[in-house]
Amino acid sequence: MQKAKFPAIAATFVLCYAFWILLDFSFKVEELIAGAVVSLPVALFSARFFIHENAGWFLHPGRFFSAIFFWCGTFMVELVKANVDMAKRCFGGCKNINPGIVKIPVDLRSDYGQAALANAITMTPGTITLDIAEDKDGKTWYYIHWIDVATAEPEAAGEAIKGRLERGLRRVWE
Amino acid sequence: MLIRIIADLLIAIGLVFALAGTKGTLKMPDTYSRMQASTCISTMGILCAGLGALVYAVFTMHSASAAIKIGVIVLMVFVTNPVGSHAIIKGAYRAGFRPEKRMEVDEFRRDFDE
């Protein structure tokens, strides 16, 4: 575990302080001072767990807007489609399922990108990420519980589960 | 009036998805499928109910602080839900829960057979 650097601490502090102001929503001087007094030790202790790489990563406009576009556009469309599909299965008597655990390859290299993709897959009903594993060649694999296994072949299953999500996330993390 | 109809409609859609998730959670045949069905509640259910409440807070209550708090609630559920689902389902697998009906494929057992 590396030591926390100053930009990481500053970024964590800004995030904590912004959350304090959002939740408190009063702009009296004593409230603002109390927020700073609480945020600073939290930032000092937790910055090294929270930020591992460059602290100003998201301030790059291309990444920032592709992230907004991904989570408000692509991801929402996939979420609604998967939800409607799942609701149909549930109201249709819960018999129309074919569960299994498939293994799919992932091309994203960054740790944050892989975590974001795994969480996006888990959020869409019908697929949950069980585990992330790396094989001998350094290739990353996800184990996914899939409610309706259409194919057990890794590449085709990967395209069906995360094709659009991964293309959206690659614009943010590559 | 129109605002009220939109807000109620959004909350009703959220409730329909929550009902679907609840039915799935009670009726699905094995642990993993039940977990999958419950994801419906915490995504579409929360999202639509939150949007309805947001419309209500902005246009009827005129309260910025309530609107921001609703936004933070939805955001927090969305950030924490996948972590919880992943931990529960992996814990269930490690604890030895297996579906009664055979799974279509099970690559995890093939690679990490105990």
Side-chain angles (χ1 to χ4, degrees):
Chain A
M1 185 65 68
Q2 85 264 38
K3 289 272 287 178
K5 300 197 181 64
F6 178 73
I9 294 173
T12 316
F13 175 78
V14 168
L15 189 76
C16 291
Y17 201 33
F19 253 101
W20 170 277
I21 291 171
L22 283 182
L23 289 177
D24 198 33
F25 221 74
S26 82
F27 297 95
K28 293 196 206 103
V29 178
E30 54 266 45
E31 300 274 3
L32 295 179
I33 291 172
V37 167
V38 176
S39 303
L40 190 61
V42 171
L44 281 175
F45 283 116
S46 63
R48 66 200 169 103
F49 305 111
F50 188 61
I51 293 175
H52 290 174
E53 291 166 18
N54 182 6
W57 179 259
F58 264 122
L59 299 182
H60 183 283
R63 285 174 202 138
F64 187 75
F65 288 111
S66 352
I68 300 262
F69 179 76
F70 173 73
W71 271 295
C72 297
T74 320
F75 176 62
M76 282 300 155
V77 171
E78 293 291 309
L79 191 66
V80 171
K81 275 198 304 200
N83 262 292
V84 170
D85 180 63
M86 194 70 204
K88 272 186 202 150
R89 283 178 211 282
C90 290
F91 283 133
C94 305
K95 292 283 178 284
N96 185 20
I97 60 169
N98 186 19
I101 297 175
V102 293
K103 182 180 176 186
I104 60 173
V106 174
D107 298 327
L108 287 169
R109 294 257 64 91
S110 148
D111 284 357
Y112 290 101
Q114 288 179 6
L117 181 59
N119 281 355
I121 289 171
T122 308
M123 283 288 282
T124 48
T127 47
I128 291 184
T129 315
L130 241 93
D131 207 352
I132 301 181
E134 211 169 88
D135 66 7
K136 291 186 290 296
D137 312 325
K139 195 161 174 51
T140 312
W141 298 85
Y142 286 5
Y143 292 89
I144 308 254
H145 183 268
W146 196 5
I147 196 85
D148 183 25
V149 177
T151 167
E153 201 272 312
E155 297 288 338
E159 180 57 32
I161 290 173
K162 59 141 181 93
R164 281 153 184 261
L165 297 174
E166 189 175 31
R167 276 193 290 280
L169 276 175
R170 198 177 290 151
R171 254 178 262 135
V172 185
W173 266 286
E174 306 252 315
Chain B
M1 192 60 197
L2 183 68
I3 296 302
R4 186 63 200 272
I5 290 172
I6 291 173
D8 286 358
L9 205 62
L10 279 167
I11 293 175
I13 294 171
L15 286 178
V16 168
F17 279 103
L19 183 67
T22 314
K23 181 163 188 264
T25 311
L26 292 174
K27 293 279 184 186
M28 284 284 184
D30 61 82
T31 316
Y32 306 100
S33 309
R34 280 199 286 276
M35 205 58 219
Q36 298 272 23
S38 82
T39 316
C40 253
I41 305 172
S42 53
T43 55
M44 258 331 239
I46 288 280
L47 183 71
C48 287
L51 279 180
L54 196 66
V55 170
Y56 190 74
V58 170
F59 293 105
T60 307
M61 287 165 68
H62 301 291
S63 157
S65 120
I68 285 172
K69 273 167 198 160
I70 291 163
V72 170
I73 290 170
V74 174
L75 190 71
M76 279 295 151
V77 173
F78 267 47
V79 170
T80 51
N81 160 48
V83 182
S85 310
H86 156 76
I88 291 171
I89 205 161
K90 191 176 171 187
Y93 201 97
R94 282 283 158 85
F97 285 91
R98 296 287 183 271
E100 288 157 31
K101 221 178 75 181
R102 231 186 98 260
M103 284 204 212
E104 182 70 19
V105 280
D106 192 347
E107 302 271 4
F108 198 69
R109 172 179 282 178
R110 212 184 61 195
D111 287 3
F112 297 94
D113 202 8
E114 300 97 48

